[in-house]
Amino acid sequence: MDVIAANTPKDFMLQFDVGTCLDAGADPIAWIKANPGRIKSIHCKDWAPGDGKGYKVLFGEGDSPWSKIFARGRVERRRRVLF
């Protein structure tokens, strides 16, 4: 994710994948804030550490900070972030 964001023009649109961000050990809110105006859609996939979990958890049962992510989307809404 960081490689793509760092090596593309700032007007290049990004789709943010929450589960992949967590799996990579990154902070979703920090990543969204670090790429203002570039994220036009968010893949709302949850993720949790542990055996048998990972991407197999249901939405809301993982480690994703959904309320903070959606609040950040409201801040960015003038840029038409799609969930």
Side-chain angles (χ1 to χ4, degrees):
M1 297 180 326
D2 291 329
V3 172
I4 293 171
N7 292 290
T8 53
K10 297 297 178 200
D11 61 347
F12 190 86
M13 184 205 101
L14 301 172
Q15 179 184 35
F16 181 60
D17 187 318
V18 177
T20 299
C21 180
L22 288 168
D23 189 16
D27 175 358
I29 303 304
W31 209 89
I32 292 168
K33 287 180 179 180
N35 293 283
R38 297 190 68 189
I39 299 168
K40 302 297 182 191
S41 66
I42 297 177
H43 184 181
C44 296
K45 175 176 65 182
D46 219 338
W47 182 87
D51 291 338
K53 292 185 179 180
Y55 296 110
K56 295 180 181 178
V57 296
L58 297 175
F59 184 85
E61 293 181 356
D63 286 358
S64 302
W66 296 115
S67 61
K68 291 179 182 179
I69 290 169
F70 295 145
R72 191 67 204 167
R74 284 190 287 280
V75 169
E76 299 274 332
R77 75 174 175 215
R78 66 185 187 286
R79 296 186 183 108
R80 297 181 187 223
V81 176
L82 302 174
F83 292 96

PDB file of all heavy atoms in Angstrom, residues 14 21 25 27 30 46 54:
ATOM      1  N   LEU A  14      -6.909   6.202  -4.945  1.00  0.00           N
ATOM      2  CA  LEU A  14      -6.614   4.972  -4.221  1.00  0.00           C
ATOM      3  C   LEU A  14      -7.897   4.357  -3.677  1.00  0.00           C
ATOM      4  O   LEU A  14      -8.801   5.076  -3.255  1.00  0.00           O
ATOM      5  CB  LEU A  14      -5.684   5.257  -3.038  1.00  0.00           C
ATOM      6  CG  LEU A  14      -4.332   5.879  -3.367  1.00  0.00           C
ATOM      7  CD1 LEU A  14      -3.622   6.285  -2.077  1.00  0.00           C
ATOM      8  CD2 LEU A  14      -3.472   4.924  -4.161  1.00  0.00           C
ATOM      9  N   CYS A  21      -4.778  -3.447   5.385  1.00  0.00           N
ATOM     10  CA  CYS A  21      -4.015  -2.498   6.189  1.00  0.00           C
ATOM     11  C   CYS A  21      -3.718  -3.085   7.567  1.00  0.00           C
ATOM     12  O   CYS A  21      -2.578  -3.058   8.027  1.00  0.00           O
ATOM     13  CB  CYS A  21      -4.794  -1.187   6.306  1.00  0.00           C
ATOM     14  SG  CYS A  21      -3.960   0.072   7.279  1.00  0.00           S
ATOM     15  N   GLY A  25      -0.122  -4.675   9.562  1.00  0.00           N
ATOM     16  CA  GLY A  25       0.356  -4.069  10.799  1.00  0.00           C
ATOM     17  C   GLY A  25       0.306  -2.552  10.809  1.00  0.00           C
ATOM     18  O   GLY A  25       0.915  -1.910  11.666  1.00  0.00           O
ATOM     19  N   ASP A  27      -1.809   1.255  10.779  1.00  0.00           N
ATOM     20  CA  ASP A  27      -2.936   1.905  11.433  1.00  0.00           C
ATOM     21  C   ASP A  27      -3.849   2.495  10.353  1.00  0.00           C
ATOM     22  O   ASP A  27      -3.441   3.412   9.631  1.00  0.00           O
ATOM     23  CB  ASP A  27      -2.421   3.023  12.348  1.00  0.00           C
ATOM     24  CG  ASP A  27      -3.516   3.839  12.995  1.00  0.00           C
ATOM     25  OD1 ASP A  27      -4.711   3.603  12.745  1.00  0.00           O
ATOM     26  OD2 ASP A  27      -3.168   4.742  13.772  1.00  0.00           O
ATOM     27  N   ALA A  30      -4.336   6.396  10.551  1.00  0.00           N
ATOM     28  CA  ALA A  30      -3.116   7.107  10.165  1.00  0.00           C
ATOM     29  C   ALA A  30      -2.909   7.046   8.659  1.00  0.00           C
ATOM     30  O   ALA A  30      -2.501   8.035   8.038  1.00  0.00           O
ATOM     31  CB  ALA A  30      -1.913   6.520  10.899  1.00  0.00           C
ATOM     32  N   ASP A  46     -13.123  -6.750   7.259  1.00  0.00           N
ATOM     33  CA  ASP A  46     -12.573  -6.804   8.608  1.00  0.00           C
ATOM     34  C   ASP A  46     -11.439  -7.823   8.676  1.00  0.00           C
ATOM     35  O   ASP A  46     -11.267  -8.652   7.785  1.00  0.00           O
ATOM     36  CB  ASP A  46     -13.672  -7.164   9.613  1.00  0.00           C
ATOM     37  CG  ASP A  46     -13.543  -6.390  10.912  1.00  0.00           C
ATOM     38  OD1 ASP A  46     -12.430  -5.915  11.224  1.00  0.00           O
ATOM     39  OD2 ASP A  46     -14.553  -6.262  11.615  1.00  0.00           O
ATOM     40  N   GLY A  54      -8.121 -14.089  11.015  1.00  0.00           N
ATOM     41  CA  GLY A  54      -7.685 -13.396   9.811  1.00  0.00           C
ATOM     42  C   GLY A  54      -8.846 -12.716   9.126  1.00  0.00           C
ATOM     43  O   GLY A  54      -9.575 -11.937   9.734  1.00  0.00           O
TER      44      GLY A  54
END
